[in-house]
Amino acid sequence: DSATLANGAHELWFFSGDTGSVYVNNVEDFVAAAALGVRERAPEPLDQYTLVRLEHDPIRPQLYGLDSDRDIVVVIDSGTLAPTRAIVVGSHPTDLTVDLDGSTLYVGHHLVYGLARIDLDRLAFDRFVPPPGNTYYVESMAAHHVLTLSGYGWLTGTWQTLVNATTQAVRGDGASSDGTLAVTADGLSAFVGDSGTSDPWIWRYSFSGGALVEVDRASPPVSPARCVAAQPDGSAAYWGGYRIDGADLSRLEFAIGSYGECVLRVTPDGRLAVTPQAVYDAATGAVLGALPLRAEVAALSPDGRILF
């Protein structure tokens, strides 16, 4: 199959190998009322979106939801839960994270070698930062750096990449297979949990001089799902259904729930851990209350008092 634009990019001509025919369409029929090149648009009602990621702004009363099917970031008023803007990003968006100073939203992608930047003061698409691979998972670190988990798929493995989202400087830092990321509140430490092998590992890195320095690694006897979370101060990580000592990753402190659950969020004060089904005392693992429904994605207000 092949295609080309013609007549000042107003016509799309394409050939279909399935039918053996050439077709021509008006480009405006594909973009509806949106102006070409304009990524920002009026939002639809919230129930028209399927959100796979949710983040709360650290300084503004708004949430950012990612609809990966429609390649859209939805800006949501956290008081009314009404969408206020939709922003089109690159194809196959998979994850998002807010810079620690609240200036920028970063969106990671699969099969698009670019990290999308959204200016949060203007609520407008800024540009792409080009790391050397996919940015399937993304977490903000100190000094406007973004830690990504990149790769070309399970056949070739995945690896961590540290990107300076201002200068676009890139540094690859180690490898893991099918892992996930978690970063401490100050952006100076990161945990990487590997969930894709029969011999899984968890790493801890510190951020120093624009690079990641390995602090510890361990391969405890767990069967981890694809999730990892961190105590805000780095004293513990949650991975493989366990709370793990942040200073000694080989030490499992206790299981989360009867069979071990993914921790989706930890409150900023480090007291509470939220799983898809319940809220736990982060220090003891005691169940404090069940959620009214199973959470697929979750976000916390900056003060940790409201769970979305």
Side-chain angles (χ1 to χ4, degrees):
D1 297 352
S2 60
T4 186
L5 292 169
N7 190 21
H10 292 291
E11 296 176 351
L12 174 66
W13 291 72
F14 64 94
F15 170 76
S16 171
D18 293 334
T19 64
S21 300
V22 175
Y23 300 85
V24 60
N25 288 91
N26 185 354
V27 171
E28 291 184 359
D29 292 340
F30 293 98
V31 297
L36 288 177
V38 178
R39 293 175 178 266
E40 301 76 33
R41 57 195 59 184
E44 298 178 25
L46 188 59
D47 62 6
Q48 297 301 301
Y49 299 105
T50 300
L51 304 182
V52 299
R53 293 287 189 275
L54 193 64
E55 290 287 339
H56 200 295
D57 192 293
I59 58 177
R60 304 172 186 84
Q62 57 196 29
L63 296 151
Y64 308 108
L66 180 64
D67 187 327
S68 60
D69 291 333
R70 300 176 63 177
D71 305 335
I72 283 176
V73 170
V74 185
V75 183
I76 304 166
D77 185 296
S78 61
T80 66
L81 298 185
T84 60
R85 177 166 288 200
I87 304 170
V88 177
V89 292
S91 302
H92 306 293
T94 52
D95 199 7
L96 46 75
T97 185
V98 182
D99 196 281
L100 299 185
D101 69 358
S103 64
T104 309
L105 178 72
Y106 305 108
V107 183
H109 300 266
H110 182 53
L111 302 178
V112 175
Y113 295 167
L115 179 70
R117 289 173 49 108
I118 294 175
D119 184 319
L120 293 180
D121 287 331
R122 298 183 296 115
L123 285 181
F125 182 87
D126 180 16
R127 58 190 168 91
F128 281 106
V129 177
N134 294 324
T135 53
Y136 199 93
Y137 293 108
V138 292
E139 290 286 348
S140 291
M141 298 201 74
H144 307 296
H145 283 72
V146 179
L147 180 63
T148 80
L149 201 61
S150 313
Y152 296 95
W154 66 272
L155 287 174
T156 55
T158 57
W159 58 91
Q160 297 89 253
T161 302
L162 189 65
V163 181
N164 185 318
T166 301
T167 67
Q168 302 187 37
V170 174
R171 174 162 184 156
D173 290 277
S176 80
S177 174
D178 204 9
T180 48
L181 310 172
V183 173
T184 53
D186 59 8
L188 295 177
S189 293
F191 295 94
V192 179
D194 167 16
S195 62
T197 70
S198 59
D199 184 25
W201 287 80
I202 182 170
W203 292 262
R204 178 168 182 164
Y205 295 93
S206 67
F207 176 82
S208 177
L212 293 181
V213 178
E214 183 178 316
V215 175
D216 192 20
R217 68 167 72 183
S219 182
V222 299
S223 298
R226 189 177 293 179
C227 60
V228 63
Q231 281 292 105
D233 63 359
S235 60
Y238 300 88
W239 177 69
Y242 286 86
R243 175 176 161 129
I244 299 174
D245 188 333
D248 180 2
L249 297 179
S250 66
R251 192 169 81 86
L252 306 181
E253 295 183 352
F254 52 78
I256 301 294
S258 300
Y259 301 101
E261 298 180 32
C262 287
V263 171
L264 301 176
R265 298 285 178 177
V266 180
T267 54
D269 60 10
R271 294 191 310 110
L272 306 176
V274 180
T275 74
Q277 302 180 87
V279 177
Y280 291 83
D281 184 310
T284 66
V287 180
L288 301 180
L291 297 182
L293 48 79
R294 179 177 176 82
E296 300 296 333
V297 294
L300 284 164
S301 60
D303 62 6
R305 296 173 64 91
I306 303 175
L307 175 67
F308 299 87

